[in-house]
Structure formats: C-alpha cells, structure tokens
Amino acid sequence: MARPPPHHHHQSTPPSARAEDGGMKKSIDKVCIIGSGNWGSAISILVGRNCQRWNNILFEERVNMWVYDEEVTLPEDDSHRKNGEITTAPCRKLLSQVINERHENVKYLPGVRLPSNVVAVPDLAEACRGATLLIFVLPHQFLPKLLPIIRQSVQVEHCRGVSLIKGLDFDKDSKLPVLISRSIARTMGSNFSCGVLMGANVASEVAQGQICESTLAVEFGSEVRNEQTRLLFDDGSCFRVQHITDVAGAEVCGALKNVIALGAGFVDGLDDWLGGVGNTKAALLRVGLREMARFCHTFFSGVQDSTFTESCGIADLITTCYGGRNRKCAEAFCRERRKHESGGERRRSVEEYQHHWERIEAQLLDGQKLQGTVTAQEVYALLQSRNLLSDFPLMSTIYEIAFAGRPVQDIVNGIVVVDHKNKNKNKNKHALFETAPPTTTIQSRL
C-alpha cells in the first residue's frame, strides 16, 4: 500500500477575492499537470493538496495529470481478480488505470500515495481542456509534438503556464540559447505567459515531505496572479516557495547545473586517483557557479545576481552535484572509461560516446532521461561558434571528457577561474559575480 507523505498544516492568506492589481481580479484556476514521471508525480502531491485546500477559493479541486500511457507490471503480492478469481500472480495494467485505482505511480514514484483528486488522463486534449494553469513537467524534446494539441484545448487568452523543465533550447541557425518557457509561450500564442519553478528539489524527498525550498520565477502582470500561482505549490512547512521575477536567471541555472553535475560525477569516479574528493568537489561547485553566472550575463539581459543565491541557484547546484541522476551516470561513465583506457581502448567518435551515455542511462535510470549530456553538447557548440571556449574552461572540459575522448583526469584542469579583469574594466566591483564584458555580451532570443 502506498504510504502518504507527512502533511504539515500551515497558515497562508489567499489573495483577496475582491483584490485588484493592475486591473486583474483573482479567479479560480483549473489546473493541469502535463507529465507524470518522477518529478511530475511528486509535484502532483503538493498541487493536489493545495487544490483541495483552496477548493473554490483559488483553484478547482480536480487536477488532471496527463500520463503517457504504458503497461506496467504490478507486484506479485498485490492481490487482484483474474477470471473472477482472486490471485496474487503478477498482472499488467495501463499506468493511468493503476494511478486512478491505487493513487500511486507504481513505476516512477512507487510507495507514495497521490491525492485522490489527482486524476490520470492519457488523452492530452482531454486532460488540458478548459485548463487555466498548465504545469509542464516532462522532457522538453516532447514539447514540439504536444504544444499544438494543448493550444487547441485551452483558451490561450485565459491561460498561463509554469515550466518545471530543466533544460534549454538552442536556435538552429544562430545557436543562441532560447528559454524553454519562452518557446512554450511563443508556440501557445502571443497572449500566453510562462514562468518557471526551479530549485533544490529531489523528487523522492519532496514526495516524502522533507523540508526544502523552491524558486518560482514568474511575472504574470499582477501581484495577485503571481501570489495565487505561488500558493499552488507552497506548503509553508515542508515546501517553501519564494517568488522572484528573474525567469531567465532561474531557468538557465536549472539547465546549466546539470552540466556541472557531470563534472561532479567525473570527480566522484576519480576518488581513488584523487585520494578523496571533498575539496576538489567544493572547488568544482564554486567555479561551476561562477561559469553559470557568467553564461547568464553573457547571453541574457536583466539577470539578477541575487538569483544565484536562491534555491534555483547555489542550492540546486549543490543538490544535483551530490545526488542527481547526471552525477550518478557521470560517475559510472568515468569508472568505465578508466577501466577501458587502462586496457588500451581506442579513441571513440562522438556518436560512439553518445551511445555509451545512452546505455548508462538505460541501465541506471529506469526510463528517466539525462539532461546534462544534451545541454553540454549544445552549450559547447554555442561557445565554440562564439569563440568563447576559453572563457568557460570547466564546461568546455566537461564536454571534451564526455564526447571528445579527453582523459577523465583532466577534469581537475577545468576547475580554474578565468581572469576577466582586463576584458571588463568597467565591471561593478561590488557585484557578487562578474558580468560579461561589453564586447561579448550577446542578446539571446528571449
């Protein structure tokens, strides 16, 4: 039987039913979660409970959760009827059916009970129909096929979105980075606005009710609407959500920390060679955070230094570099590389390294997807096209180890800080992080 995570009661004040801010009144939202993997199922616990709590005040109680349906095998000790007889033999059912019958995602979040008002819907158009608040939580490569269906199922002018997707899009021609939240908004239509929820949020720990923070970066044109959105996710005791308006900074941090986590995994795979990894990993995190900040300032305007000290910044980086899937797979990659290299293995092609990562992903992640490897490839291509590889030695080294055959021991050579003093004589001396020099600041297609 799936056990429910601990529920903490807390006091929050909803936006006034008659409050007006910027001409916008509070309205009751119909919520749809698009995605039902590990993180999607975990966030559905908080969203479902808050929709129950604020039922007919801020949100409709029912929460549709779109499920990409697949057959799952129920455990042998799970009794069920077969041909009219009760049996404990394994049986196969569609995942959506299991979620609605058991209120548990037995494949991606086993052992945790989901709220009864969270309803699995395998038909995307049906799941989204009439929704006013969409939560995107699925691998971003699926979005191009799904967004046209979603757009036809909602009234775009009365709908907004929050993306929990940690990644970046890249323009095929310019190779400049494009925010996924902005790609969603553009595809949905000119009246659609999309923010992000990012932070140090390991899904299994969130589902268990462990204390954590998260950062909601949205600007919906109304403080009432922003706060109503925050209350959809916030549990003041165990899931504490802070609101900021720096969507670009929060979203880019959520993507780049996966690249830095690959480097952390390489360091972990060198524990015997390094004689301990604590100090080396701390140095990697510090340099990684500086490169993340520099990337943000180089390619996006309006990024705030304070964003890097929010949960979406340093906290998410720490969590991912110590317990995330990218770190885990990178450690396995490192150990395999070292084993094969000691036997005189030939240098592989990029495609062969890609297959190597895919094999590790299949072995270790049980259907979940790596994001850091894809982002590392795209970031490297961007930096190379702009002649900026020397400004980002850590991210460049991580890519070259992952895909270009560079020895894994070289990760320590990437943990260096580039001196930009001569490049940026007009920098703000009081800033937490160096901003990009004027000669290299590039406006992305926001």
Side-chain angles (χ1 to χ4, degrees), residues 55-122:
N55 180 28
N56 289 327
I57 300 173
L58 300 179
F59 312 107
E60 292 186 13
E61 183 175 16
R62 172 169 168 152
V63 177
N64 284 349
M65 180 171 69
W66 176 68
V67 175
Y68 179 80
D69 237 350
E70 55 188 305
E71 281 195 341
V72 294
T73 302
L74 297 178
E76 292 187 18
D77 59 355
D78 185 66
S79 62
H80 56 277
R81 287 190 175 274
K82 184 176 182 180
N83 298 325
E85 300 292 331
I86 296 178
T87 177
T88 58
C91 76
R92 295 185 64 79
K93 287 187 176 182
L94 290 175
L95 181 58
S96 61
Q97 181 183 356
V98 175
I99 291 174
N100 289 334
E101 291 176 352
R102 298 167 56 110
H103 304 296
E104 176 190 3
N105 189 330
V106 295
K107 179 168 184 179
Y108 296 109
L109 194 65
V112 178
R113 187 174 181 83
L114 307 183
S116 59
N117 63 317
V118 174
V119 180
V121 182

Side-chain angles (χ1 to χ4, degrees), residues 354-391:
Q354 181 64 50
H355 291 317
H356 189 176
W357 283 107
E358 291 172 355
R359 179 174 55 78
I360 291 174
E361 176 187 77
Q363 289 175 343
L364 299 183
L365 299 187
D366 192 27
Q368 293 179 290
K369 296 297 181 182
L370 276 178
Q371 294 136 332
T373 49
V374 175
T375 305
Q377 291 174 289
E378 293 170 328
V379 165
Y380 189 87
L382 166 65
L383 298 177
Q384 189 174 48
S385 71
R386 301 286 168 174
N387 197 28
L388 292 173
L389 289 175
S390 62
D391 287 348

Side-chain angles (χ1 to χ4, degrees), residues 24 131-132 151 154-160 188-193 225:
M24 184 174 291
T132 60
R151 185 180 59 218
V154 301
Q155 289 183 288
V156 175
E157 63 274 18
H158 299 301
C159 190
R160 65 194 189 280
M188 290 293 292
S190 59
N191 293 319
F192 189 87
S193 181
R225 186 62 58 84

Side-chain angles (χ1 to χ4, degrees), residues 3-6 8 36-46 49 105 107-114 137 164 166 199-212 238-239 316 319-320 322-325 328 368:
R3 56 178 177 78
H8 304 278
S36 58
N38 185 238
W39 186 211
S41 297
I43 205 66
S44 78
I45 298 171
L46 296 164
R49 283 179 172 169
N105 189 330
K107 179 168 184 179
Y108 296 109
L109 194 65
V112 178
R113 187 174 181 83
L114 307 183
V137 54
L164 279 62
K166 294 183 176 180
N201 308 140
V202 176
S204 59
E205 296 181 9
V206 172
Q208 293 163 9
Q210 296 184 21
I211 294 173
C212 67
C238 66
F239 194 76
D316 197 9
T319 295
T320 306
Y322 279 90
R325 70 186 74 161
K328 179 179 182 180
Q368 293 179 290

Side-chain angles (χ1 to χ4, degrees), residues 153-174:
S153 302
V154 301
Q155 289 183 288
V156 175
E157 63 274 18
H158 299 301
C159 190
R160 65 194 189 280
V162 177
S163 171
L164 279 62
I165 302 168
K166 294 183 176 180
L168 281 172
D169 280 334
F170 288 83
D171 185 90
K172 291 182 179 179
D173 297 323
S174 69

Side-chain angles (χ1 to χ4, degrees), residues 57-313:
I57 300 173
L58 300 179
F59 312 107
E60 292 186 13
E61 183 175 16
R62 172 169 168 152
V63 177
N64 284 349
M65 180 171 69
W66 176 68
V67 175
Y68 179 80
D69 237 350
E70 55 188 305
E71 281 195 341
V72 294
T73 302
L74 297 178
E76 292 187 18
D77 59 355
D78 185 66
S79 62
H80 56 277
R81 287 190 175 274
K82 184 176 182 180
N83 298 325
E85 300 292 331
I86 296 178
T87 177
T88 58
C91 76
R92 295 185 64 79
K93 287 187 176 182
L94 290 175
L95 181 58
S96 61
Q97 181 183 356
V98 175
I99 291 174
N100 289 334
E101 291 176 352
R102 298 167 56 110
H103 304 296
E104 176 190 3
N105 189 330
V106 295
K107 179 168 184 179
Y108 296 109
L109 194 65
V112 178
R113 187 174 181 83
L114 307 183
S116 59
N117 63 317
V118 174
V119 180
V121 182
D123 183 280
L124 179 61
E126 179 185 345
C128 298
R129 187 166 292 117
T132 60
L133 181 47
L134 302 171
I135 301 171
F136 297 91
V137 54
L138 72 169
H140 76 280
Q141 56 264 37
F142 297 134
L143 286 174
K145 291 184 178 180
L146 301 183
L147 287 174
I149 300 172
I150 297 169
R151 185 180 59 218
Q152 295 298 320
S153 302
V154 301
Q155 289 183 288
V156 175
E157 63 274 18
H158 299 301
C159 190
R160 65 194 189 280
V162 177
S163 171
L164 279 62
I165 302 168
K166 294 183 176 180
L168 281 172
D169 280 334
F170 288 83
D171 185 90
K172 291 182 179 179
D173 297 323
S174 69
K175 293 185 170 60
L176 286 175
V178 181
L179 301 178
I180 290 175
S181 63
R182 186 56 57 92
S183 295
I184 291 172
R186 283 180 172 174
T187 304
M188 290 293 292
S190 59
N191 293 319
F192 189 87
S193 181
C194 187
V196 298
L197 182 77
M198 301 283 160
N201 308 140
V202 176
S204 59
E205 296 181 9
V206 172
Q208 293 163 9
Q210 296 184 21
I211 294 173
C212 67
E213 294 181 311
S214 196
T215 306
L216 178 69
V218 299
E219 183 50 81
F220 290 134
S222 160
E223 286 304 316
V224 170
R225 186 62 58 84
N226 292 341
E227 176 63 8
Q228 183 167 336
T229 308
R230 191 188 72 83
L231 289 175
L232 178 64
F233 301 100
D234 182 75
D235 179 320
S237 296
C238 66
F239 194 76
R240 302 166 184 177
V241 181
Q242 288 81 40
H243 170 243
I244 65 174
T245 57
D246 182 8
V247 177
E251 188 166 352
V252 176
C253 281
L256 295 184
K257 56 97 180 184
N258 289 324
V259 178
I260 306 304
L262 296 177
F266 296 155
V267 169
D268 287 337
L270 294 168
D271 52 355
D272 59 328
W273 183 72
L274 291 168
V277 301
N279 293 339
T280 307
K281 204 167 183 180
L284 180 138
L285 264 67
R286 186 187 80 86
V287 173
L289 183 64
R290 288 176 67 95
E291 287 198 8
M292 287 165 56
R294 184 166 179 78
F295 187 97
C296 288
H297 285 304
T298 299
F299 294 104
F300 295 89
S301 61
V303 174
Q304 303 167 13
D305 276 346
S306 58
T307 299
F308 304 111
T309 58
E310 295 284 350
S311 180
C312 62

